[in-house]
Amino acid sequence: MSTKTESNLYTLMQERKSVRKYDPTFKMTQAQLEEIIKEATSAPSSSNLQAWRFLVIQDEETKKELRTIANNQEQIETSSAVIAVIGDAEMYKNVEKIYTQNVAEGHMDEAQKNITIENTLRMYPSAPVEVRKSIATFDAGLISMQLMLIAKEKGLDTVTMGGFDKVKFAGRFELPKNQFPIVLIAIGKAAAPAFGSSRLPLEDIARFI
């Protein structure tokens, strides 16, 4: 069996790199950013509760301020925008809205909707907040990767950043108590090639039984 893959997705996966040098003159429109985020929301999430939220920062003065919160990382200021991926630990509060929409779009019937809502409201509110935060963080990883691949398909470059003061970020941007920052994604046009990076061999990371 051939292991060679020619799909466009495979090419995007190989070409996507973490870019830290951006062209500061390249600017994206809000409509472009909205399109990328909307397309990324097809990512899976726990119980389809979509615990991700986004704060998109384009304002130049705000980006300068954010840079001081994010360990002085240059790409915060030079990229076209920074997308903060935020988790919602009270994601279950949207369950009725989400599953009512599922029925309206023909994805399930009313009986299945009611069962799903009942199960969700039995499990999630009573779960420890750290468990719900863990769920939201995992889901944020799924949509973040999807977002970066979509950006690459559109000829854009990205880098994720976990190195920032999350407490200061939450305070500066007045996040409600149930929301917490997870990663920052810089997006724009590369001004220099990204560094290559190696990967551990398969035998170091996978076990087959």
Side-chain angles (χ1 to χ4, degrees):
M1 182 176 66
S2 173
T3 58
K4 187 175 181 181
T5 305
E6 302 288 355
S7 73
N8 187 47
L9 174 60
Y10 183 82
T11 301
L12 287 171
M13 287 166 57
Q14 296 302 307
E15 292 181 350
R16 188 218 60 80
K17 303 294 181 186
S18 295
V19 170
R20 292 176 173 82
K21 294 286 185 181
Y22 287 86
D23 177 359
T25 66
F26 177 78
K27 303 298 179 186
M28 296 176 65
T29 65
Q30 181 173 325
Q32 289 173 311
L33 290 159
E34 287 176 349
E35 180 181 40
I36 290 170
I37 294 171
K38 184 175 181 180
E39 290 175 356
T41 60
S42 66
S45 64
S46 178
S47 301
N48 193 33
L49 293 178
Q50 305 162 56
W52 46 62
R53 306 289 178 263
F54 302 93
L55 177 63
V56 184
I57 302 166
Q58 295 177 271
D59 178 73
E60 296 302 326
E61 291 304 312
T62 306
K63 286 199 292 177
K64 287 179 182 177
E65 189 177 350
L66 177 58
R67 183 171 176 172
T68 67
I69 296 173
N71 298 325
N72 197 35
Q73 295 180 79
E74 176 187 319
Q75 61 267 24
I76 293 286
E77 196 170 345
T78 57
S79 60
S80 182
V82 176
I83 302 172
V85 186
I86 295 163
D88 185 354
E90 295 181 353
M91 71 288 271
Y92 58 87
K93 291 186 175 180
N94 284 318
V95 65
E96 293 200 27
K97 179 178 182 180
I98 290 167
Y99 283 97
T100 297
Q101 184 176 344
N102 274 2
V103 172
E105 293 179 5
H107 304 309
M108 62 171 54
D109 60 26
E110 192 74 22
Q112 186 60 51
K113 167 197 146 180
N114 292 335
I115 292 170
T116 304
I117 290 173
E118 181 182 344
N119 289 340
T120 300
L121 294 179
R122 185 175 67 250
M123 293 170 54
Y124 280 82
S126 60
V129 67
E130 289 307 316
V131 170
R132 287 186 267 121
K133 282 187 173 184
S134 179
I135 291 169
T137 299
F138 181 85
D139 290 350
L142 294 173
I143 197 169
S144 293
M145 189 69 253
Q146 189 143 302
L147 189 154
M148 290 187 289
L149 289 173
I150 290 167
K152 190 63 183 176
E153 195 274 336
K154 295 178 183 294
L156 300 162
D157 299 289
T158 56
V159 63
T160 51
M161 296 163 280
F164 64 102
D165 190 320
K166 295 177 173 62
V167 173
K168 286 185 179 178
F169 183 97
R172 166 59 183 84
F173 296 103
E174 301 179 336
L175 299 186
K177 188 177 179 180
N178 56 295
Q179 294 186 12
F180 60 101
I182 300 171
V183 294
L184 305 176
I185 302 176
I187 184 168
K189 279 282 191 180
F195 291 111
S197 56
S198 62
R199 292 294 182 268
L200 290 168
L202 186 63
E203 56 266 27
D204 286 3
I205 63 171
R207 186 165 67 99
F208 295 82
I209 56 176

